[in-house]
Amino acid sequence: MLIDQETLRDLEIFRTRRGEPGIFQVLDMTRTQGGRRALRARFENPMSDPKLIRHVQEGVEFLAEEEIGFNLNPNLIRDVRVYLDSSWDVASRARGLRFVVEAGFGPLGHRDLFQHARRGVSATQEMISQIRPFLKGLEDRNPPSEVKRPVENLLALIDRLRLGKIWVSRWPWALARADRYLRVERKADFQRFFNLLSELDALIAMASALKTRGLVIPDIIESSEFCLEGEDIVHPFLSDPVGNPVKLGRGESLVFLTGPNMAGKTTYLKAVAVATYLAHLGMGVPARTFRFVPRDAIYSSLRPEESLKEGLSFFMAEVRRVRRIAEAVAGGERALVLFDEVFRGTNVKDALDASLLVIRGFSGFQHSGFFFSSHLVELAEALAQEHSVRFSCFEGEFRGGKAWYDFKIRDGVSDQRLGLRLLEQEGVARILDPEIPPE
């Protein structure tokens, strides 16, 4: 599945716009550096194929249900990797008697190298002795293919390494031989070993996130039509979130979303998009229920950036973003598309005309789904006869002179305009016009 850089930034997958940890960091429960890289690779490569997504889901569910944690020592794994990647040779690449002689006299001039080798060989043996029963325990539980493949390959590699035939001897030549065997002769095998272990760590982390974050494995619908449905969807960043439903498809291809500032429109769009994105990874999503037809792409335009270097105005950046998405969808790409206050970079008349043109055009593509949030409630009357458009809104009110929101989505159109009241609430109006009486 395609997710471009602008959408990754909008959804704050790897970093927020303020440079703080993103969705990836919030859900990253890996134990090793390699596992973290493997998990990030999954985040960078969401899937569209229902079969591939389902395989990952089965692996994650199995690991979560069996309560299998990565209970190996991550520091030990790190130390072994550092040792195996080191280039300190305790003896030359000589063979036979010459090797025995060089190794035998090596400790006299290179004691540090031999101590390094002794620690490394011992740590490698200890790591394997911990991992093997862990893997055998997984294998005995008859795991699904996504887990079974790395487990069986890891066990096969351990058997091929034949580490039982090496030992940490007081004889320098035996230590040098073990060191050469591990770091040189089996270098490629160990590289594959750690890649597979990292892959397993990433899967276990996805299962841990499923349990500890209260996520749910989505249901995959295989259909040529667009479908996205869910209950109590929340955003992972929020500590006390309000869950909301989503329902798009079955003849309705576009949601026209209205409501006052701060009522929850943008957060809702991000929550829906993040849940859909995580679903395409095979992960759990932050919702009570979630069903979807896998898509080819997710596109968003939540905060178009001006490009002074390219000489683009804010409005032109919006226009080009709309064109990019329109070309993809018109070309047959099945996508989830989200626009937040599209064409706010121009005057109201142009924004109305442009928004109407774009909304009507996009709503005709039944193979994709679209969300448009807008303050232009005047569009609702013009769109009333568009049967593929559904109207939803958020609302707010003032209680005791303060803005209050329940952050619940509703059917219909909101014409609330609370901007002036918010200026009064923050004291801006009184600063600029001292004659305005305090509330």
Side-chain angles (χ1 to χ4, degrees):
M1 187 188 77
L2 172 67
I3 181 163
D4 61 16
Q5 289 300 312
E6 183 163 341
T7 304
L8 288 172
R9 287 195 299 271
D10 279 344
L11 303 186
E12 301 177 307
I13 298 300
F14 296 111
R15 285 289 168 186
T16 69
R17 290 188 177 274
R18 293 182 294 180
E20 297 171 347
I23 300 294
F24 171 76
Q25 287 80 9
V26 169
L27 299 178
D28 175 19
M29 297 187 176
T30 55
R31 298 288 306 280
T32 66
Q33 292 181 355
R36 189 166 299 112
R37 288 191 294 268
L39 183 62
R40 182 171 180 120
R42 287 183 177 272
F43 268 67
E44 291 172 342
N45 296 280
M47 300 167 288
S48 293
D49 188 329
K51 183 178 180 180
L52 296 178
I53 297 172
R54 192 170 284 114
H55 282 168
V56 177
Q57 288 182 336
E58 290 170 355
V60 170
E61 283 188 298
F62 166 81
L63 292 168
E65 289 171 0
E66 295 290 328
E67 297 186 347
I68 296 168
F70 195 79
N71 55 2
L72 308 176
N73 185 344
N75 293 328
L76 177 62
I77 294 172
R78 181 200 60 208
D79 291 344
V80 173
R81 294 203 69 164
V82 170
Y83 160 68
L84 294 173
D85 288 339
S86 67
S87 58
W88 291 6
D89 284 327
V90 297
S92 73
R93 302 298 168 86
R95 295 184 180 277
L97 181 60
R98 181 181 173 187
F99 172 79
V100 173
V101 171
E102 286 189 7
F105 286 97
L108 298 178
H110 306 285
R111 179 178 296 274
D112 290 345
L113 295 184
F114 274 80
Q115 289 178 344
H116 169 74
R118 189 179 302 279
R119 288 193 298 268
V121 173
S122 296
T124 304
Q125 291 177 314
E126 182 181 354
M127 179 190 72
I128 296 298
S129 69
Q130 289 185 14
I131 288 177
R132 187 184 182 93
F134 172 73
L135 295 173
K136 288 295 292 181
L138 280 174
E139 184 184 46
D140 292 343
R141 301 184 197 191
N142 192 28
S145 60
E146 194 73 11
V147 178
K148 185 176 183 179
R149 180 182 55 81
V151 167
E152 288 186 344
N153 287 334
L154 280 165
L155 286 170
L157 274 172
I158 290 174
D159 289 341
R160 192 163 73 202
L161 288 170
R162 303 192 336 240
L163 295 189
K165 298 198 173 191
I166 68 171
W167 69 95
V168 183
S169 169
R170 65 186 182 88
W171 297 105
W173 65 267
L175 177 60
R177 179 69 186 90
D179 176 70
R180 176 187 288 182
Y181 178 79
L182 295 177
R183 291 192 307 104
V184 179
E185 297 175 19
R186 291 300 186 180
K187 187 177 184 66
D189 285 335
F190 272 112
Q191 184 60 53
R192 177 155 173 72
F193 176 90
F194 284 116
N195 288 341
L196 290 166
L197 192 63
S198 297
E199 185 180 333
L200 188 58
D201 184 18
L203 283 170
I204 294 173
M206 293 165 74
S208 297
L210 180 70
K211 291 179 67 68
T212 60
R213 300 284 303 188
L215 309 181
V216 62
I217 293 291
D219 293 326
I220 300 174
I221 305 170
E222 297 195 42
S223 171
S224 59
E225 298 182 358
F226 183 90
C227 182
L228 184 64
E229 299 176 349
E231 296 291 335
D232 289 337
I233 297 169
V234 299
H235 196 285
F237 283 168
L238 301 179
S239 58
D240 188 21
V242 175
N244 276 297
V246 62
K247 186 174 183 180
L248 192 59
R250 308 180 191 278
E252 292 181 329
S253 60
L254 188 144
V255 171
F256 183 69
L257 185 62
T258 54
N261 287 320
M262 299 175 63
K265 299 190 302 297
T266 302
T267 299
Y268 175 74
L269 293 180
K270 288 183 177 181
V272 170
V274 167
T276 305
Y277 165 78
L278 293 175
H280 284 80
L281 299 176
M283 288 190 70
V285 305
R288 181 163 56 85
T289 65
F290 199 82
R291 305 172 68 238
F292 74 112
V293 176
R295 299 291 87 192
D296 299 322
I298 299 177
Y299 293 108
S300 68
S301 183
L302 305 184
R303 187 180 173 183
E305 301 289 350
E306 291 187 58
S307 179
L308 298 178
K309 185 176 181 180
E310 297 180 14
L312 295 180
S313 67
F314 189 90
F315 178 67
M316 183 54 72
E318 291 182 303
V319 169
R320 290 193 176 178
R321 183 61 172 167
V322 170
R323 176 184 173 180
R324 165 74 181 91
I325 297 171
E327 288 175 340
V329 174
E333 205 167 82
R334 305 168 305 160
L336 171 66
V337 180
L338 308 101
F339 286 100
D340 189 21
E341 302 295 340
V342 68
F343 301 131
R344 60 183 177 269
T346 188
N347 62 76
V348 174
K349 178 64 170 65
D350 278 347
L352 280 167
D353 293 342
S355 296
L356 186 59
L357 170 68
V358 169
I359 291 173
R360 278 179 169 164
F362 277 129
S363 67
F365 294 106
Q366 293 294 314
H367 63 278
S368 293
F370 307 87
F371 288 81
F372 276 81
S373 77
S374 179
H375 285 298
L376 302 173
V377 295
E378 298 85 353
L379 290 168
E381 183 176 352
L383 294 170
Q385 302 306 313
E386 302 291 335
H387 298 296
S388 57
V389 176
R390 183 158 55 85
F391 299 96
S392 298
C393 66
F394 288 88
E395 293 192 336
E397 60 181 281
F398 270 80
R399 294 182 176 181
K402 298 291 184 180
W404 180 87
Y405 310 95
D406 63 6
F407 305 111
K408 298 294 293 183
I409 197 168
R410 302 164 170 79
D411 292 332
V413 178
S414 172
D415 60 358
Q416 286 185 320
R417 303 181 189 275
L418 305 181
L420 184 58
R421 295 292 302 276
L422 289 172
L423 284 172
E424 294 172 353
Q425 173 185 305
E426 297 301 313
V428 176
R430 288 196 302 276
I431 293 172
L432 299 177
D433 187 353
E435 294 184 4
I436 295 178
E439 294 187 8

